[in-house]
Amino acid sequence: MTPTAAPTPPGPRPRAVAVLAAVVLLEALALALAGARLLWSLVAEEPLTVGGTVFLLVVSFAGALWLHRVARGLWRGYRWPRAAALVVQLFLLVLGVPLLQGGQPAAGLALALPAAVVLLLLFRPAVLAWTSRTVR
């Protein structure tokens, strides 16, 4: 059986895709930094619970790795990262809106604003056309 080349996305990469991938990559970096802070808390401070901190540490680093893969998939023009990015942004909105309403506007904006940008960009026609590859 001869290997076939994966189809390439149509035309040059749209600017909206670059912004979309960059925002998702920044979210991955923020999650990795949160994981690093948890690691520091585990090593240099006394966490409330060691088990809970270790669990959050693993989840945050795994989530950061996953978001990195999503950003890379969007950049390359695959279809599968759109759904993953959509779900993550909806979770961020679910966390960010109550923070905005609860008197923590900085934290709420830090979660909700990038999520809103990604949600708006995900459904642009240029992004949909670019992310139409299904073959890896």
Side-chain angles (χ1 to χ4, degrees):
M1 185 191 294
T2 16
T4 60
T8 58
R13 180 178 294 111
R15 182 174 294 178
V17 170
V19 172
L20 179 61
V23 172
V24 173
L25 194 58
L26 286 174
E27 290 172 346
L29 179 63
L31 196 52
L33 289 174
R37 175 62 179 102
L38 285 168
L39 182 61
W40 176 258
S41 148
L42 193 61
V43 172
E45 300 170 357
E46 190 171 323
L48 291 175
T49 63
V50 173
T53 304
V54 169
F55 175 76
L56 286 175
L57 176 71
V58 170
V59 167
S60 62
F61 281 139
L65 181 63
W66 175 246
L67 280 175
H68 178 266
R69 297 272 319 208
V70 168
R72 196 171 84 188
L74 287 167
W75 179 261
R76 291 182 174 177
Y78 295 121
R79 179 178 290 168
W80 67 266
R82 288 194 319 235
L86 176 71
V87 169
V88 168
Q89 305 318 309
L90 291 176
F91 279 130
L92 288 176
L93 281 178
V94 165
L95 293 172
V97 170
L99 286 172
L100 283 169
Q101 295 172 341
Q104 296 182 358
L109 281 175
L111 292 175
L113 192 59
V117 168
V118 170
L119 286 173
L120 289 173
L121 290 176
L122 272 175
F123 296 102
R124 292 187 55 120
V127 172
L128 292 174
W130 176 262
T131 57
S132 62
R133 286 173 59 180
T134 56
V135 179
R136 194 157 203 267

